[in-house]
Every structure is written in C-alpha cells, then in structure tokens.
Amino acid sequence: MITTRQLDAFRAVMQHGTVTGAAESLGLSQPAVSKLIAGLEDETRLRLFDRVKKRLVATPEGELLYLEAEKMVLGLDALQRVAEGLRTTRAGRLNLVAMPALGQRHLPRIVARFLDEHPEAAVTLHTHGSQVANQWVAGQQVDLGLSLLNIEHPSVVKRTLCRVEAVAALPPGHRLASRERLVPADFAGESFISFTRDTRTRHAIDQVFEAADVDRVERVEAYISDVACSFVAEGLGVALVDPFTAASFAATGSLVLRPFAPAVPYQIRLLRPRHRAPSRLAAAFELFLEDSLDRLIEELSIRRFAPPAR
C-alpha cells in the first residue's frame, strides 16, 4: 500500500531534482529518502526516476504519477481549507425562511453585513408568509425561520426575538397626520386598508375596533403590510401595519406614521428545526441577527411591546 511518507518523499524529489535536496526539505537522511522512493517503486511496480549526471530525472510514468499526486494533495488542501472555514464559521451555507415584514427589505441588509464578516459563506433567503415559514421549519427544510405566527410543534425549537407595536400608516397630508397619537375612534368612517381574513393580524385589529364599537369603511384588503402600505401611499385609505415595513415607506416620504393605542402586538419568533443540528454558521448568524434586530429597532425608533404581567 502506498503511504503518505512515500508520496511526500516522491514529491520532494520531483521538486528538488536530487535526493539531497529532498532530504533537507523533509528533515530526513538521504538513505531514508532513497528507501522511501524504492518502496514506492516496488509498490507501484514502476521505474519512477532515471539517474542523469547525479540528478534524478522522472520517467514518463513518474511524471504522470506526480501529476496525480499533486491533484490529490491539492484536493486535501482544499478539504482542509473547507474544514477550517466551517470550524471558524467563515464558510458554509445557510438556508433561511422569513416572513415579508423582515424578509423583503431589512433582512437582506442584515445578511449582507453578515456575509461581509463571513466572506466564504453562502446564504439562501426565502420570503414567505409566516404559515409557510412555520411549515418549512417543522419539516426540517431550513436552518432558521422568522415568523409572526406561534407554533407548537415537537419538531420546532422557538424563541421570541422581539415584540413590537403596529403603527398607523397615513397618506401624506391626511387629516389625522396632525395628531401625535391615534386611537380607534379617530378611524370612524375612514377608508381602511384591512388584511385578508385568513391572517392573524386581521383578527387582532378587528377585535380592537369591535371592542371600541368603531366602524370603518373597508374598501381594500391586502395579505401583507408591504401591499397595504402601497395602497395607503396611493391614497386609498389608512391602515395599521407592522412598524418595520412602515418605516421603509416613511423613509421615502410616501407615508406618515403615527403611534396607535391600544397596542396591536407583532411578536417575531426565531424558529429552528429540532432534528437538524445547527451548524456553527447558523449559530453565529442567530447571534448576529438578534444584535442586528435590536439595532434596527433603535435606528427606526420602533416601539417595543411589553406583554402584561401575569
């Protein structure tokens, strides 16, 4: 069987052209190198060198064997670099799924900063509704998920990243924009952009207005905050939306935002598949995400929502 010591000696002789040079580079004696070369020739049943004027010149078979040996060594070096990258979290691949509130606008910027610090890593980001995000994590299809929907599933590990409050989104120049804070009574008779009836947020908002006995004019429905904000920007009505999406529109001047009471909470959950061991890269991204989200909330001046004490 060919040994790595034999290959090391063979490569050294090929590179230096003499047993003396090979021995010095390997820190071995000349007889030891000669013995290793002889053993390799016996093992391969090939004559690998001709002696020409006190130098070893590779035979055609020796040249071909050297090329294959170099390929193998380069492959091992590449494997070592990959292993080192995985160990230090520089390399690897992350598969993420996130709800639109973060996945469409803010998460790409967070991922970009993360990749700056992990230049050999790769990320796939899927943006879907929270129900799909929950299903994908439960199915062990992704490394991490971000969702607004609670999930109780034996295959999912979850934790809350943050709780924030919905904000009122108004077209610029709207009569309610002059008020510092809005309440349900302010929306009486207003054209209102609602979420579709199959969303959790729709039910939460409807309950607030029902409890206050306030009727709105519900002209348009949207599935996600991004679309609702676009409708508001077009002047079709007002809406209560998540603050992350709303802040992106407000930054362009297309919306005016106002706090709303009582609080309509958005709870962002980080989900991990229980039966898929997290990689070092995934663990590093989880910490990076949490820190980035805290800074984003502070940067956008988003109000956090504290649940009532039990």
Side-chain angles (χ1 to χ4, degrees):
M1 181 181 293
I2 298 174
T3 67
T4 54
R5 286 175 59 82
Q6 289 172 341
L7 286 177
D8 287 342
F10 173 60
R11 292 176 62 243
V13 172
M14 289 291 294
Q15 292 162 3
H16 293 277
T18 65
V19 172
T20 301
E24 289 178 355
S25 69
L26 295 173
L28 299 175
S29 66
Q30 293 182 41
V33 172
S34 297
K35 184 177 180 181
L36 288 168
I37 294 298
L40 181 60
E41 289 182 322
D42 288 342
E43 194 65 42
T44 60
R45 299 180 184 179
L46 295 171
R47 183 167 57 86
L48 301 176
F49 295 100
D50 289 324
R51 187 173 292 276
V52 179
K53 295 181 181 181
K54 296 185 179 181
R55 293 186 64 84
L56 295 179
V57 179
T59 63
E61 292 79 11
E63 292 281 2
L64 290 173
L65 187 66
Y66 177 67
L67 290 175
E68 292 303 316
E70 286 299 287
K71 288 179 185 178
M72 184 187 73
V73 171
L74 289 174
L76 288 174
D77 287 345
L79 183 63
Q80 181 65 35
R81 288 194 298 273
V82 170
E84 176 68 10
L86 292 172
R87 184 182 66 78
T88 60
T89 72
R90 289 199 312 269
R93 175 172 290 278
L94 272 178
N95 200 6
L96 311 174
V97 61
M99 76 288 186
L102 286 178
Q104 285 188 307
R105 299 174 186 268
H106 301 293
L107 195 55
R109 289 196 290 271
I110 292 173
V111 167
R113 290 197 299 269
F114 182 76
L115 290 178
D116 282 342
E117 297 182 10
H118 302 77
E120 297 174 41
V123 173
T124 300
L125 173 60
H126 308 271
T127 302
H128 290 287
S130 292
Q131 186 172 0
V132 173
N134 289 5
Q135 291 170 351
W136 282 23
V137 177
Q140 318 295 290
Q141 295 174 255
V142 292
D143 297 299
L144 294 171
L146 288 169
S147 174
L148 293 172
L149 280 178
N150 190 26
I151 181 172
E152 299 294 341
H153 196 288
S155 297
V156 175
V157 178
K158 65 176 181 179
R159 69 184 180 94
T160 298
L161 284 180
C162 66
R163 297 178 178 89
V164 294
E165 298 178 10
V167 294
L170 314 169
H174 192 276
R175 67 175 185 86
L176 295 178
S178 61
R179 305 189 184 185
E180 292 186 3
R181 188 179 185 88
L182 301 177
V183 297
D186 296 323
F187 290 84
E190 284 289 336
S191 294
F192 194 86
I193 313 299
S194 292
F195 290 102
T196 55
R197 298 179 187 277
D198 58 342
T199 58
R200 178 200 63 83
T201 307
R202 167 65 179 265
H203 297 304
I205 292 173
D206 283 354
Q207 286 176 4
V208 167
F209 284 98
E210 287 169 7
D213 196 24
V214 172
D215 293 326
R216 301 152 290 158
V217 179
E218 299 183 49
R219 299 181 61 196
V220 182
E221 293 184 351
Y223 183 68
I224 59 175
S225 289
D226 195 279
V227 177
C229 286
S230 295
F231 280 136
V232 174
E234 292 295 327
L236 293 179
V238 299
L240 294 180
V241 295
D242 80 82
F244 297 103
T245 304
S248 297
F249 278 82
T252 67
S254 56
L255 291 185
V256 174
L257 307 182
R258 290 293 180 264
F260 179 83
V264 177
Y266 280 86
Q267 184 165 306
I268 297 177
R269 298 170 176 86
L270 180 71
L271 312 178
R272 285 194 291 106
R274 186 180 297 277
H275 305 304
R276 181 171 172 168
S279 65
R280 290 173 180 263
L281 190 67
F285 181 76
E286 188 172 331
L287 294 175
F288 186 88
L289 173 63
E290 186 167 16
D291 179 65
S292 297
L293 198 56
D294 284 341
R295 287 191 283 117
L296 179 64
I297 289 172
E298 183 176 351
E299 173 190 332
L300 300 178
S301 300
I302 292 174
R303 293 173 57 87
R304 290 180 183 267
F305 173 76
R310 293 183 177 179

